[in-house]
Structures are given as structure tokens and as C-alpha cells.
Amino acid sequence: MSEHDTNSETLGEPTRRDFLYLTTGMAGAVGAASFVWPFIDQMRPDASTLALASIDVDVSALEPGMSLTVKWRGKPVFIRNRTEKEVEEAKAVQLTDLKDPVARNANIDAAAQATDLARSAGEGKENWIVMIGSCTHLGCVPLGQAGDFGGWFCPCHGSHYDTAGRIRKGPAPANLAVPTYAFTSDTVITIG
């Protein structure tokens, strides 16, 4: 044994050198984290983006047969208070007649069938329909109360949607998407 060996080194106990290695490593880790944090923090969405995460829409002025288009997350959203006739026409459509049998409603099960009720605001509010206003073919904005089925028509490539926003004819592969939304009162819809 040399004169520089201590009892703690031979027994495997921590030494002053071990302590210095540990504290130097911890200081380096803290320094690296403080250097990297601004780069990580800049990837978070800013306040204006978070504010657009949800919007409240007052629909008290929409009588049956009227529509409103609002902007949410940079996309148009169609809100329509359908007439009883429009609701009945949409309910009468057989699922086998649909080009896309999936509801595409973010508020219900992803595999739900595209019945009129599954596309609408639900029981007691079947007259209300809320959809993202982008044609599922190439993202054009369809015209309301137009086309062969009285719903929406995309003049760019000829896609026809019915009064429940389901694709019925043309190149579009899917129904208009229904975003997450809820009636927070009888006259206010929160989208997002």
C-alpha cells in the first residue's frame, strides 16, 4: 500500500474526488439545460394561437334556414339552423346511398355511421349542423344551399353535399368534418 492510499479508497467509500466529479457533472447538466431551454420554449404556441383554440359563437339571430360562417383556426366553419324539411330530407337518406358512411364527427365515436343525427348537434338539436367548410377533395370552400342535394356545392370540381354535409356526388372522398363543439347555452356554441 502506498502512503497516498487512504482507508476510504480501499473500502470503496466516496472520496473528495468523487464529490468533485459529481458536483461538476451536476453543474454541467444545469448549464446545458439553461442553455437549451430557450430553444425548447420557443416551440410552444404563442398566446394569440392559444386564444384561437376555441371560439364562442352567438347563434341567437339564426332562424331556421339561415347559415353563418365563422373562422376557426384559419378555416371556415359553417353553422346552419336547418329547416324541418331539410332535417327530414337528411333523415330519409339510406346509409347505402352514401359515398362516405362514416359520420366524421369529432364529438362522437370515430366509427359512427353517417346518420343525420350523428352529423347534427344531437337529440333535441337535430336542426343544428356545425361543419368545417373545406371540401374534402382539395380544400376549396363549398357554396351553401346549393348543388343537387340542397346542401353545399363545391364549384371547383363538382362535389355535392346534402343538408347534413355528407358527400353524395363528385370527387370528394369524405363528408365535411364536424369539429369539436358544444352548446354552452341555448344560443352560444363553443367551437374547439
Side-chain angles (χ1 to χ4, degrees):
M1 226 178 167
S2 74
E3 61 186 64
H4 295 294
D5 287 341
T6 64
N7 191 24
S8 64
E9 288 177 348
T10 57
L11 296 176
E13 292 179 17
T15 64
R16 184 168 189 256
R17 181 177 292 175
D18 294 335
F19 174 75
L20 289 174
Y21 281 146
L22 183 63
T23 54
T24 304
M26 287 173 43
V30 168
S34 64
F35 177 75
V36 172
W37 178 250
F39 297 107
I40 294 170
D41 190 47
Q42 75 174 355
M43 291 187 256
R44 291 186 315 152
D46 69 348
S48 64
T49 303
L50 292 174
L52 294 175
S54 66
I55 60 170
D56 291 335
V57 181
D58 182 0
V59 295
S60 59
L62 291 182
E63 297 294 326
M66 294 177 70
S67 296
L68 173 67
T69 302
V70 297
K71 191 173 184 180
W72 174 68
R73 294 184 179 176
K75 299 176 186 173
V77 174
F78 300 149
I79 301 172
R80 182 156 175 82
N81 185 354
R82 301 182 297 170
T83 64
E84 285 185 33
K85 181 182 178 203
E86 290 173 326
V87 173
E88 292 308 315
E89 287 173 355
K91 284 181 180 179
V93 174
Q94 299 296 313
L95 292 176
T96 55
D97 293 343
L98 297 177
K99 191 172 178 183
D100 179 15
V102 180
R104 311 254 178 239
N105 186 338
N107 303 290
I108 60 174
D109 181 35
Q113 292 185 328
T115 63
D116 180 64
L117 184 60
R119 300 273 308 152
S120 72
E123 290 285 336
K125 293 196 180 292
E126 294 92 347
N127 55 312
W128 291 100
I129 191 151
V130 178
M131 302 172 301
I132 295 175
S134 294
C135 180
T136 58
H137 179 232
L138 292 175
C140 306
V141 179
L143 304 173
Q145 293 68 61
D148 293 352
F149 302 93
W152 288 265
F153 172 67
C154 184
C156 301
H157 303 101
S159 294
H160 297 259
Y161 298 89
D162 66 11
T163 59
R166 299 173 293 197
I167 184 63
R168 299 292 299 280
K169 180 179 170 185
N175 300 324
L176 294 175
V178 177
T180 303
Y181 73 93
F183 273 87
T184 52
S185 75
D186 285 342
T187 60
V188 175
I189 299 173
T190 299
I191 302 171

